[in-house]
Amino acid sequence: MNNLILGRYIPGDSLVHRLDPRSKLLSMLIFIIVVFWANNVLTNLLMLVFTMILVFLSHVKISFFLKGLRPMIGLILFTTLFQVLFTQNGHVLFHLWIIKITDSGIGQAALIFMRFVLIIIFSTLLTLTTTPLSLADAVESLLKPLEPLKVPVHEIGLMLSLSLRFVPTLMDDTTRIMNAQRARGVDFGEGNLIRKIKSIIPILIPLFASSFKRADALATAMEARGYQGGAGRSKYRLLKWTYKDSLAIVGICLLGFILFLLKK
Amino acid sequence: MTDKIIELKNVTFRYDENQEKPTLNNISFHVKHREWLSIIGHNGSGKSTTVRLIDGLLEAESGQILIEGHKLSEDNVWDIRHRISMVFQNPDNQFVGATVEDDVAFGLENKGIPLKEMREHVAEALNLVGMSDFKTREPARLSGGQKQRVAIAGAVAMHPNIIILDEATSMLDPEGRLELIGTIQKIREQYGMTVISITHDLDEVTLSDRVLVMKNGQIESSSSPRELFSRGDELLDLGLDIPFTSTIIKALRKIGFTFDNRYLLEKELEDKLWALISKK
Protein backbone atom coordinates (compact mmCIF):
# COMPACT_ATOMS: atom_id res chain seq x y z
CA MET A 1 0.00 0.00 0.00
CA ASN A 2 3.04 2.22 0.37
CA ASN A 3 3.62 2.79 -3.34
CA LEU A 4 0.19 4.36 -3.74
CA ILE A 5 0.91 7.99 -4.52
CA LEU A 6 -2.69 9.06 -5.05
CA GLY A 7 -4.03 10.72 -1.94
CA ARG A 8 -0.61 11.36 -0.45
CA TYR A 9 0.17 14.85 0.68
CA ILE A 10 3.62 16.36 0.09
CA PRO A 11 4.22 19.33 2.40
CA GLY A 12 5.38 22.48 0.68
CA ASP A 13 4.87 26.19 0.49
CA SER A 14 4.38 26.90 -3.19
CA LEU A 15 1.73 29.02 -4.85
CA VAL A 16 -0.37 25.91 -5.54
CA HIS A 17 0.00 24.74 -1.94
CA ARG A 18 -1.30 28.01 -0.61
CA LEU A 19 -4.40 28.15 -2.77
CA ASP A 20 -7.72 27.65 -1.03
CA PRO A 21 -8.75 23.97 -1.20
CA ARG A 22 -12.16 25.03 -2.47
CA SER A 23 -10.72 26.71 -5.53
CA LYS A 24 -8.50 23.70 -6.17
CA LEU A 25 -11.40 21.27 -5.87
CA LEU A 26 -13.58 23.40 -8.18
CA SER A 27 -10.75 23.71 -10.69
CA MET A 28 -10.40 19.94 -10.65
CA LEU A 29 -14.08 19.50 -11.53
CA ILE A 30 -13.91 22.08 -14.30
CA PHE A 31 -10.70 20.54 -15.62
CA ILE A 32 -12.31 17.11 -15.97
CA ILE A 33 -15.05 18.60 -18.16
CA VAL A 34 -12.61 20.73 -20.14
CA VAL A 35 -10.37 17.74 -20.87
CA PHE A 36 -13.11 16.26 -23.04
CA TRP A 37 -13.16 19.34 -25.23
CA ALA A 38 -9.54 18.86 -26.20
CA ASN A 39 -9.87 16.79 -29.37
CA ASN A 40 -7.19 18.00 -31.74
CA VAL A 41 -3.44 18.52 -31.62
CA LEU A 42 -3.61 22.21 -30.80
CA THR A 43 -6.06 21.93 -27.92
CA ASN A 44 -4.18 18.98 -26.44
CA LEU A 45 -0.94 20.89 -26.62
CA LEU A 46 -2.61 23.79 -24.85
CA MET A 47 -3.89 21.51 -22.08
CA LEU A 48 -0.46 19.95 -21.66
CA VAL A 49 1.24 23.32 -21.41
CA PHE A 50 -1.35 24.52 -18.89
CA THR A 51 -0.90 21.42 -16.72
CA MET A 52 2.88 21.59 -16.95
CA ILE A 53 2.87 25.23 -15.83
CA LEU A 54 0.83 24.23 -12.77
CA VAL A 55 3.13 21.30 -12.05
CA PHE A 56 6.08 23.66 -12.27
CA LEU A 57 4.38 26.16 -9.96
CA SER A 58 3.72 23.49 -7.34
CA HIS A 59 7.49 22.80 -6.93
CA VAL A 60 6.68 19.10 -6.60
CA LYS A 61 9.22 16.81 -8.25
CA ILE A 62 8.04 15.41 -11.56
CA SER A 63 8.95 11.90 -10.36
CA PHE A 64 5.99 11.99 -7.97
CA PHE A 65 3.62 12.43 -10.88
CA LEU A 66 5.24 9.57 -12.75
CA LYS A 67 4.77 7.45 -9.64
CA GLY A 68 1.11 8.46 -9.63
CA LEU A 69 0.81 7.28 -13.22
CA ARG A 70 2.54 3.95 -12.65
CA PRO A 71 -0.38 1.95 -11.16
CA MET A 72 -2.62 3.14 -14.01
CA ILE A 73 -0.21 2.48 -16.85
CA GLY A 74 -1.59 -1.01 -17.55
CA LEU A 75 -5.12 0.29 -17.86
CA ILE A 76 -4.02 3.18 -20.10
CA LEU A 77 -2.07 0.95 -22.50
CA PHE A 78 -4.91 -1.58 -22.57
CA THR A 79 -7.46 1.07 -23.59
CA THR A 80 -5.22 2.73 -26.16
CA LEU A 81 -4.44 -0.67 -27.70
CA PHE A 82 -8.16 -1.31 -28.09
CA GLN A 83 -8.58 2.06 -29.77
CA VAL A 84 -5.82 1.26 -32.23
CA LEU A 85 -7.18 -2.18 -33.06
CA PHE A 86 -10.89 -1.49 -33.22
CA THR A 87 -11.12 1.85 -34.99
CA GLN A 88 -11.83 0.73 -38.53
CA ASN A 89 -12.55 3.96 -40.40
CA GLY A 90 -10.00 6.32 -41.91
CA HIS A 91 -6.94 5.75 -44.06
CA VAL A 92 -5.45 2.28 -43.63
CA LEU A 93 -1.78 2.29 -42.71
CA PHE A 94 -1.16 -1.36 -42.00
CA HIS A 95 -3.16 -4.47 -42.81
CA LEU A 96 -2.49 -8.08 -41.73
CA TRP A 97 -5.22 -10.74 -41.64
CA ILE A 98 -7.96 -9.26 -39.41
CA ILE A 99 -5.66 -6.62 -37.92
CA LYS A 100 -6.20 -3.29 -39.57
CA ILE A 101 -4.49 -0.18 -38.25
CA THR A 102 -5.79 3.16 -39.49
CA ASP A 103 -4.56 6.73 -39.03
CA SER A 104 -7.74 7.78 -37.24
CA GLY A 105 -7.29 4.78 -34.94
CA ILE A 106 -3.86 6.00 -33.92
CA GLY A 107 -5.22 9.52 -33.52
CA GLN A 108 -8.05 8.23 -31.33
CA ALA A 109 -5.56 6.25 -29.22
CA ALA A 110 -3.31 9.26 -28.74
CA LEU A 111 -6.30 11.31 -27.64
CA ILE A 112 -7.38 8.76 -25.02
CA PHE A 113 -3.79 8.48 -23.81
CA MET A 114 -3.54 12.24 -23.36
CA ARG A 115 -6.86 12.42 -21.49
CA PHE A 116 -5.77 9.75 -19.03
CA VAL A 117 -2.40 11.31 -18.43
CA LEU A 118 -3.79 14.82 -18.02
CA ILE A 119 -6.54 13.81 -15.61
CA ILE A 120 -4.17 11.72 -13.50
CA ILE A 121 -1.52 14.44 -13.39
CA PHE A 122 -4.08 17.05 -12.45
CA SER A 123 -5.72 14.98 -9.72
CA THR A 124 -2.30 13.97 -8.37
CA LEU A 125 -1.47 17.66 -8.26
CA LEU A 126 -4.59 18.28 -6.20
CA THR A 127 -3.91 15.56 -3.64
CA LEU A 128 -0.17 16.20 -3.44
CA THR A 129 -0.62 19.87 -2.59
CA THR A 130 -3.70 19.70 -0.36
CA THR A 131 -4.02 18.04 3.05
CA PRO A 132 -6.90 15.53 3.30
CA LEU A 133 -8.18 17.62 6.17
CA SER A 134 -8.54 20.81 4.14
CA LEU A 135 -10.10 18.80 1.32
CA ALA A 136 -12.75 17.64 3.81
CA ASP A 137 -13.27 21.26 4.82
CA ALA A 138 -13.57 22.23 1.18
CA VAL A 139 -16.21 19.58 0.53
CA GLU A 140 -18.20 20.77 3.53
CA SER A 141 -17.94 24.37 2.47
CA LEU A 142 -18.87 23.68 -1.15
CA LEU A 143 -21.93 21.72 0.00
CA LYS A 144 -23.13 24.67 2.09
CA PRO A 145 -25.53 25.96 -0.61
CA LEU A 146 -27.38 22.64 -0.35
CA GLU A 147 -28.25 23.26 3.29
CA PRO A 148 -31.73 24.70 2.56
CA LEU A 149 -32.45 21.48 0.65
CA LYS A 150 -32.14 19.59 3.98
CA VAL A 151 -28.73 18.14 3.12
CA PRO A 152 -26.99 17.51 6.49
CA VAL A 153 -23.88 19.46 5.50
CA HIS A 154 -22.39 19.77 8.99
CA GLU A 155 -22.86 16.06 9.66
CA ILE A 156 -21.25 15.11 6.35
CA GLY A 157 -18.29 17.36 7.14
CA LEU A 158 -17.91 15.93 10.64
CA MET A 159 -18.14 12.36 9.36
CA LEU A 160 -15.57 13.08 6.70
CA SER A 161 -13.05 14.63 9.06
CA LEU A 162 -13.63 11.97 11.76
CA SER A 163 -13.13 9.15 9.27
CA LEU A 164 -9.98 10.77 7.93
CA ARG A 165 -8.71 11.15 11.48
CA PHE A 166 -9.45 7.49 12.29
CA VAL A 167 -7.95 5.95 9.12
CA PRO A 168 -4.43 5.56 10.60
CA THR A 169 -5.86 4.41 13.94
CA LEU A 170 -7.91 1.68 12.27
CA MET A 171 -4.94 0.70 10.09
CA ASP A 172 -2.93 0.19 13.28
CA ASP A 173 -5.79 -1.85 14.70
CA THR A 174 -5.85 -4.04 11.61
CA THR A 175 -2.11 -4.70 11.75
CA ARG A 176 -2.32 -5.50 15.44
CA ILE A 177 -5.24 -7.89 15.01
CA MET A 178 -3.52 -9.57 12.05
CA ASN A 179 -0.36 -10.11 14.05
CA ALA A 180 -2.32 -11.34 17.06
CA GLN A 181 -4.18 -13.85 14.89
CA ARG A 182 -0.96 -14.92 13.17
CA ALA A 183 0.56 -15.55 16.59
CA ARG A 184 -2.39 -17.88 17.22
CA GLY A 185 -1.76 -19.76 14.00
CA VAL A 186 -4.02 -18.13 11.41
CA ASP A 187 -2.54 -18.23 7.90
CA PHE A 188 -3.35 -15.19 5.77
CA GLY A 189 -3.05 -15.30 2.01
CA GLU A 190 -2.61 -19.07 1.86
CA GLY A 191 -4.64 -21.70 0.05
CA ASN A 192 -7.37 -21.27 -2.54
CA LEU A 193 -9.72 -18.32 -2.95
CA ILE A 194 -12.40 -19.63 -0.57
CA ARG A 195 -9.85 -20.26 2.17
CA LYS A 196 -8.31 -16.86 1.64
CA ILE A 197 -11.69 -15.21 2.03
CA LYS A 198 -12.45 -17.28 5.12
CA SER A 199 -9.18 -16.27 6.73
CA ILE A 200 -10.30 -12.64 6.61
CA ILE A 201 -13.09 -13.29 9.11
CA PRO A 202 -10.79 -13.41 12.17
CA ILE A 203 -9.61 -9.90 11.22
CA LEU A 204 -12.96 -8.47 10.27
CA ILE A 205 -15.02 -9.40 13.32
CA PRO A 206 -12.58 -8.09 15.97
CA LEU A 207 -12.10 -4.97 13.85
CA PHE A 208 -15.86 -4.41 13.79
CA ALA A 209 -16.12 -4.95 17.52
CA SER A 210 -13.27 -2.57 18.30
CA SER A 211 -14.73 0.04 15.95
CA PHE A 212 -17.99 -0.07 17.86
CA LYS A 213 -16.13 0.36 21.12
CA ARG A 214 -14.17 3.28 19.72
CA ALA A 215 -17.32 4.89 18.36
CA ASP A 216 -19.00 4.59 21.73
CA ALA A 217 -16.05 6.06 23.63
CA LEU A 218 -15.70 8.85 21.09
CA ALA A 219 -19.38 9.72 21.32
CA THR A 220 -19.15 9.87 25.11
CA ALA A 221 -16.05 12.06 24.94
CA MET A 222 -17.69 14.38 22.41
CA GLU A 223 -20.80 14.70 24.53
CA ALA A 224 -18.72 15.38 27.63
CA ARG A 225 -17.03 18.18 25.72
CA GLY A 226 -20.38 19.78 25.02
CA TYR A 227 -21.04 18.68 21.45
CA GLN A 228 -24.71 19.25 20.64
CA GLY A 229 -24.69 19.08 16.84
CA GLY A 230 -24.00 21.73 14.23
CA ALA A 231 -26.19 24.55 15.50
CA GLY A 232 -24.56 27.32 17.54
CA ARG A 233 -21.00 26.19 16.89
CA SER A 234 -18.17 28.48 15.95
CA LYS A 235 -15.41 27.31 13.66
CA TYR A 236 -11.71 27.21 14.49
CA ARG A 237 -10.53 26.36 11.02
CA LEU A 238 -11.49 29.00 8.48
CA LEU A 239 -10.81 28.76 4.77
CA LYS A 240 -9.57 31.98 3.25
CA TRP A 241 -10.45 32.83 -0.33
CA THR A 242 -7.94 35.29 -1.80
CA TYR A 243 -7.69 37.03 -5.18
CA LYS A 244 -5.30 34.24 -6.23
CA ASP A 245 -8.12 31.74 -5.89
CA SER A 246 -10.43 33.85 -8.00
CA LEU A 247 -7.58 34.15 -10.48
CA ALA A 248 -7.15 30.36 -10.57
CA ILE A 249 -10.85 29.84 -11.26
CA VAL A 250 -10.86 32.56 -13.93
CA GLY A 251 -7.74 30.99 -15.46
CA ILE A 252 -9.26 27.55 -15.78
CA CYS A 253 -12.54 28.95 -17.09
CA LEU A 254 -10.60 30.93 -19.69
CA LEU A 255 -8.77 27.76 -20.69
CA GLY A 256 -12.11 26.01 -21.03
CA PHE A 257 -13.45 28.87 -23.16
CA ILE A 258 -10.45 28.82 -25.52
CA LEU A 259 -10.67 25.06 -25.84
CA PHE A 260 -14.38 25.28 -26.56
CA LEU A 261 -13.61 27.63 -29.46
CA LEU A 262 -10.72 25.57 -30.80
CA LYS A 263 -12.25 22.13 -30.53
CA LYS A 264 -13.30 20.37 -33.69
CA MET B 1 -21.92 30.05 47.44
CA THR B 2 -21.57 27.04 49.65
CA ASP B 3 -18.26 25.45 50.24
CA LYS B 4 -19.41 22.31 48.47
CA ILE B 5 -18.94 22.51 44.71
CA ILE B 6 -20.36 19.04 44.10
CA GLU B 7 -22.76 17.22 46.30
CA LEU B 8 -24.37 13.83 45.79
CA LYS B 9 -27.34 12.88 47.95
CA ASN B 10 -28.54 9.28 48.16
CA VAL B 11 -27.76 8.50 44.52
CA THR B 12 -28.68 5.08 43.21
CA PHE B 13 -27.98 3.89 39.67
CA ARG B 14 -28.46 0.72 37.64
CA TYR B 15 -27.32 0.14 34.07
CA ASP B 16 -30.05 -2.43 33.60
CA GLU B 17 -33.50 -2.31 35.17
CA ASN B 18 -33.39 -6.00 36.00
CA GLN B 19 -30.02 -5.68 37.68
CA GLU B 20 -30.42 -7.13 41.15
CA LYS B 21 -27.64 -5.21 42.85
CA PRO B 22 -27.47 -1.56 41.78
CA THR B 23 -24.15 -0.31 40.34
CA LEU B 24 -24.31 2.55 42.78
CA ASN B 25 -26.24 1.98 45.97
CA ASN B 26 -27.46 5.04 47.80
CA ILE B 27 -24.19 6.96 47.82
CA SER B 28 -23.71 10.42 49.28
CA PHE B 29 -20.59 12.54 49.31
CA HIS B 30 -19.44 16.02 48.51
CA VAL B 31 -16.42 17.70 46.97
CA LYS B 32 -15.15 20.98 48.36
CA HIS B 33 -14.06 23.99 46.35
CA ARG B 34 -10.53 23.64 44.99
CA GLU B 35 -10.17 20.22 46.50
CA TRP B 36 -8.23 17.44 44.81
CA LEU B 37 -10.29 14.34 45.44
CA SER B 38 -9.07 10.89 44.46
CA ILE B 39 -11.53 8.07 44.04
CA ILE B 40 -10.08 4.61 44.33
CA GLY B 41 -11.52 1.13 44.39
CA HIS B 42 -11.56 -2.19 42.59
CA ASN B 43 -12.65 -2.59 39.01
CA GLY B 44 -16.43 -2.59 38.97
CA SER B 45 -16.78 -0.68 42.21
CA GLY B 46 -18.67 2.14 40.49
CA LYS B 47 -15.98 4.84 40.21
CA SER B 48 -16.45 5.63 36.52
CA THR B 49 -20.22 5.47 36.86
CA THR B 50 -20.06 8.06 39.64
CA VAL B 51 -18.15 10.63 37.61
CA ARG B 52 -20.32 10.02 34.54
CA LEU B 53 -23.33 10.80 36.70
CA ILE B 54 -21.72 14.04 37.85
CA ASP B 55 -21.18 15.11 34.22
CA GLY B 56 -24.73 14.13 33.30
CA LEU B 57 -23.59 11.45 30.85
CA LEU B 58 -25.70 8.99 32.81
CA GLU B 59 -28.92 9.63 34.66
CA ALA B 60 -29.44 8.54 38.23
CA GLU B 61 -32.34 6.31 39.17
CA SER B 62 -32.93 8.21 42.38
CA GLY B 63 -31.23 10.82 44.50
CA GLN B 64 -29.91 14.28 43.81
CA ILE B 65 -26.74 15.70 42.32
CA LEU B 66 -25.90 19.34 43.03
CA ILE B 67 -23.20 21.14 41.04
CA GLU B 68 -22.25 24.57 42.37
CA GLY B 69 -25.55 24.62 44.21
CA HIS B 70 -27.66 23.81 41.14
CA LYS B 71 -29.56 20.60 40.88
CA LEU B 72 -28.45 18.63 37.82
CA SER B 73 -31.40 18.21 35.48
CA GLU B 74 -32.10 17.79 31.79
CA ASP B 75 -32.48 21.56 31.36
CA ASN B 76 -29.10 22.58 32.69
CA VAL B 77 -27.00 19.55 31.80
CA TRP B 78 -25.23 21.28 28.85
CA ASP B 79 -24.61 24.33 30.93
CA ILE B 80 -23.04 22.21 33.62
CA ARG B 81 -20.98 20.24 31.11
CA HIS B 82 -19.37 23.45 29.95
CA ARG B 83 -18.17 23.97 33.51
CA ILE B 84 -16.88 20.44 33.96
CA SER B 85 -14.11 19.02 31.80
CA MET B 86 -13.50 15.31 31.63
CA VAL B 87 -10.42 13.43 30.51
CA PHE B 88 -10.93 9.76 29.74
CA GLN B 89 -8.72 6.72 29.83
CA ASN B 90 -7.98 5.93 26.20
CA PRO B 91 -6.21 8.84 24.49
CA ASP B 92 -7.07 7.55 21.01
CA ASN B 93 -10.80 7.40 21.47
CA GLN B 94 -11.26 10.92 22.76
CA PHE B 95 -9.21 12.67 20.10
CA VAL B 96 -11.88 14.31 17.94
CA GLY B 97 -9.90 16.82 15.90
CA ALA B 98 -7.79 16.04 12.88
CA THR B 99 -4.80 17.86 14.36
CA VAL B 100 -3.71 18.85 17.86
CA GLU B 101 -5.01 22.43 17.70
CA ASP B 102 -8.32 21.33 16.15
CA ASP B 103 -8.82 18.90 18.98
CA VAL B 104 -8.11 21.48 21.67
CA ALA B 105 -10.52 23.86 19.94
CA PHE B 106 -13.34 21.30 19.70
CA GLY B 107 -14.92 22.07 23.06
CA LEU B 108 -14.60 25.81 22.44
CA GLU B 109 -16.29 25.45 19.06
CA ASN B 110 -19.18 23.68 20.76
CA LYS B 111 -19.51 26.56 23.14
CA GLY B 112 -19.65 29.00 20.22
CA ILE B 113 -16.62 31.02 21.30
CA PRO B 114 -15.52 33.59 18.66
CA LEU B 115 -12.43 32.74 16.64
CA LYS B 116 -10.06 35.32 18.08
CA GLU B 117 -10.74 34.34 21.67
CA MET B 118 -10.60 30.67 20.67
CA ARG B 119 -7.09 31.10 19.23
CA GLU B 120 -5.90 32.67 22.49
CA HIS B 121 -7.40 29.88 24.60
CA VAL B 122 -5.91 27.17 22.40
CA ALA B 123 -2.44 28.73 22.41
CA GLU B 124 -2.56 29.21 26.16
CA ALA B 125 -3.72 25.66 26.85
CA LEU B 126 -1.15 24.10 24.53
CA ASN B 127 1.56 26.16 26.14
CA LEU B 128 0.50 25.00 29.56
CA VAL B 129 0.87 21.31 28.69
CA GLY B 130 4.02 21.97 26.65
CA MET B 131 2.60 20.92 23.30
CA SER B 132 2.84 24.22 21.41
CA ASP B 133 5.43 22.84 19.01
CA PHE B 134 3.12 20.01 18.04
CA LYS B 135 0.01 21.97 17.25
CA THR B 136 -0.22 21.01 13.58
CA ARG B 137 0.52 17.32 14.17
CA GLU B 138 -2.03 14.60 13.50
CA PRO B 139 -2.88 12.17 16.33
CA ALA B 140 -1.29 9.28 14.44
CA ARG B 141 2.09 10.98 14.82
CA LEU B 142 1.85 11.46 18.61
CA SER B 143 2.73 9.15 21.48
CA GLY B 144 0.13 8.07 24.03
CA GLY B 145 1.41 10.52 26.62
CA GLN B 146 1.36 13.39 24.15
CA LYS B 147 -2.20 12.57 23.12
CA GLN B 148 -3.24 12.55 26.74
CA ARG B 149 -1.60 15.93 27.25
CA VAL B 150 -3.59 17.23 24.30
CA ALA B 151 -6.75 15.87 25.93
CA ILE B 152 -5.86 17.79 29.07
CA ALA B 153 -5.17 20.93 27.03
CA GLY B 154 -8.63 20.51 25.49
CA ALA B 155 -10.10 20.25 28.97
CA VAL B 156 -8.18 23.25 30.32
CA ALA B 157 -8.93 25.47 27.31
CA MET B 158 -12.57 25.49 28.43
CA HIS B 159 -11.49 27.17 31.68
CA PRO B 160 -13.66 24.79 33.69
CA ASN B 161 -14.29 25.00 37.41
CA ILE B 162 -14.06 21.27 37.77
CA ILE B 163 -11.80 18.82 35.98
CA ILE B 164 -12.48 15.09 36.16
CA LEU B 165 -9.78 12.57 35.30
CA ASP B 166 -11.21 9.13 34.62
CA GLU B 167 -8.08 6.97 34.90
CA ALA B 168 -6.42 9.48 32.60
CA THR B 169 -2.93 8.28 33.45
CA SER B 170 -3.51 4.53 33.50
CA MET B 171 -2.27 3.85 29.96
CA LEU B 172 0.96 5.80 30.29
CA ASP B 173 4.42 4.70 31.28
CA PRO B 174 5.71 5.80 34.72
CA GLU B 175 7.59 8.75 33.25
CA GLY B 176 4.64 10.05 31.24
CA ARG B 177 2.40 9.57 34.24
CA LEU B 178 4.58 11.64 36.56
CA GLU B 179 4.87 14.35 33.94
CA LEU B 180 1.12 14.47 33.49
CA ILE B 181 0.42 14.61 37.22
CA GLY B 182 2.88 17.47 37.45
CA THR B 183 1.06 19.32 34.68
CA ILE B 184 -2.29 18.84 36.35
CA GLN B 185 -0.95 20.11 39.63
CA LYS B 186 0.48 23.18 37.92
CA ILE B 187 -2.84 23.89 36.22
CA ARG B 188 -4.74 23.44 39.43
CA GLU B 189 -2.56 25.94 41.25
CA GLN B 190 -2.80 28.43 38.41
CA TYR B 191 -6.57 28.34 37.96
CA GLY B 192 -7.73 27.13 41.36
CA MET B 193 -9.69 24.25 39.91
CA THR B 194 -11.40 21.41 41.67
CA VAL B 195 -9.94 18.08 40.58
CA ILE B 196 -11.60 14.69 40.84
CA SER B 197 -9.38 11.86 39.77
CA ILE B 198 -10.13 8.19 39.48
CA THR B 199 -6.88 6.34 39.78
CA HIS B 200 -4.91 3.31 40.81
CA ASP B 201 -1.72 5.32 40.96
CA LEU B 202 -0.05 5.93 44.32
CA ASP B 203 1.58 9.22 43.33
CA GLU B 204 -1.72 10.68 42.30
CA VAL B 205 -3.33 9.57 45.54
CA THR B 206 -0.45 11.01 47.56
CA LEU B 207 -0.94 14.43 45.96
CA SER B 208 -4.66 14.58 46.61
CA ASP B 209 -6.32 16.27 49.55
CA ARG B 210 -8.76 13.49 50.24
CA VAL B 211 -9.32 9.93 49.12
CA LEU B 212 -12.69 8.32 48.62
CA VAL B 213 -12.67 4.53 48.66
CA MET B 214 -15.46 2.78 46.80
CA LYS B 215 -16.47 -0.82 47.23
CA ASN B 216 -19.36 -2.64 45.56
CA GLY B 217 -21.18 0.53 44.59
CA GLN B 218 -20.86 2.13 47.99
CA ILE B 219 -18.51 4.53 49.69
CA GLU B 220 -16.32 2.52 52.00
CA SER B 221 -14.39 5.38 53.52
CA SER B 222 -13.23 8.92 53.07
CA SER B 223 -9.87 9.88 54.51
CA SER B 224 -6.65 11.75 53.95
CA PRO B 225 -4.02 9.90 51.87
CA ARG B 226 -1.92 9.46 55.00
CA GLU B 227 -4.71 7.81 56.93
CA LEU B 228 -5.40 5.60 53.97
CA PHE B 229 -1.79 4.50 53.61
CA SER B 230 -1.69 3.59 57.29
CA ARG B 231 -4.08 0.76 56.50
CA GLY B 232 -1.11 -1.28 55.30
CA ASP B 233 -1.80 -4.51 53.44
CA GLU B 234 -5.50 -3.66 53.12
CA LEU B 235 -4.50 -1.30 50.31
CA LEU B 236 -4.07 -4.21 47.94
CA ASP B 237 -7.72 -5.12 48.45
CA LEU B 238 -8.70 -1.59 47.54
CA GLY B 239 -6.91 -1.71 44.20
CA LEU B 240 -3.82 0.21 45.23
CA ASP B 241 -0.18 -0.70 45.60
CA ILE B 242 1.66 -0.67 48.92
CA PRO B 243 3.70 2.56 49.22
CA PHE B 244 7.45 2.12 48.97
CA THR B 245 8.13 3.26 52.55
CA SER B 246 5.57 0.81 53.95
CA THR B 247 7.30 -2.03 52.09
CA ILE B 248 10.63 -1.02 53.59
CA ILE B 249 9.16 -0.73 57.07
CA LYS B 250 7.70 -4.20 56.70
CA ALA B 251 11.07 -5.62 55.65
CA LEU B 252 12.86 -3.83 58.48
CA ARG B 253 10.40 -5.17 61.04
CA LYS B 254 11.32 -8.70 60.05
CA ILE B 255 14.93 -8.05 60.96
CA GLY B 256 14.09 -6.62 64.37
CA PHE B 257 13.41 -2.91 63.93
CA THR B 258 10.32 -1.52 65.64
CA PHE B 259 7.98 0.97 64.04
CA ASP B 260 4.50 2.05 64.98
CA ASN B 261 1.73 1.54 62.45
CA ARG B 262 1.77 5.06 61.08
CA TYR B 263 2.51 5.71 57.38
CA LEU B 264 5.73 7.63 56.82
CA LEU B 265 6.81 9.82 53.91
CA GLU B 266 10.19 9.02 52.41
CA LYS B 267 11.75 11.97 54.20
CA GLU B 268 10.24 10.96 57.54
CA LEU B 269 11.42 7.39 57.17
CA GLU B 270 14.89 8.67 56.38
CA ASP B 271 14.94 10.81 59.53
CA LYS B 272 13.64 7.95 61.60
CA LEU B 273 16.33 5.61 60.29
CA TRP B 274 19.03 8.14 61.04
CA ALA B 275 17.65 8.53 64.55
CA LEU B 276 17.57 4.76 65.08
CA ILE B 277 21.08 4.26 63.79
CA SER B 278 22.63 7.06 65.82
CA LYS B 279 21.01 5.68 68.98
CA LYS B 280 22.76 2.35 68.63
Side-chain angles (χ1 to χ4, degrees), chain B residues 17 29 35-36 40 44 49 55 60-61 65 86 95 114-115 127 136 162 175 190 204 226 230 233 235 237 255 258 262:
Chain B
E17 270 178 50
F29 69 91
E35 187 177 33
W36 181 325
I40 64 163
T49 312
D55 202 26
E61 185 181 287
I65 298 168
M86 267 181 103
F95 208 110
L115 182 66
N127 206 8
T136 53
I162 303 160
E175 199 186 331
Q190 200 162 334
E204 252 179 278
R226 192 177 271 262
S230 300
D233 285 351
L235 287 176
D237 291 332
I255 53 169
T258 48
R262 231 159 43 85

Side-chain angles (χ1 to χ4, degrees), chain A residues 133 136-138 140-141 144 153-154 157-158 161 230 232-239, chain B residues 102 105-106 108-116 118-119:
Chain A
L133 176 64
D137 283 341
E140 187 185 347
S141 166
K144 264 271 143 61
V153 173
H154 167 76
L158 183 79
S161 75
R233 286 190 96 224
S234 52
K235 276 204 90 148
Y236 181 72
R237 184 175 291 277
L238 287 182
L239 299 172
Chain B
D102 284 299
F106 181 74
L108 299 167
E109 289 178 320
N110 293 336
K111 221 170 153 182
I113 308 255
L115 182 66
K116 200 171 151 264
M118 199 146 57
R119 287 220 172 105

Side-chain angles (χ1 to χ4, degrees), chain A residues 25 35 49 54-56 62 70 162 175 221 229 243 262:
Chain A
L25 201 63
V35 145
V49 169
L54 285 179
V55 167
F56 176 72
I62 198 86
R70 201 188 293 153
L162 275 183
T175 321
Y243 74 97
L262 290 176

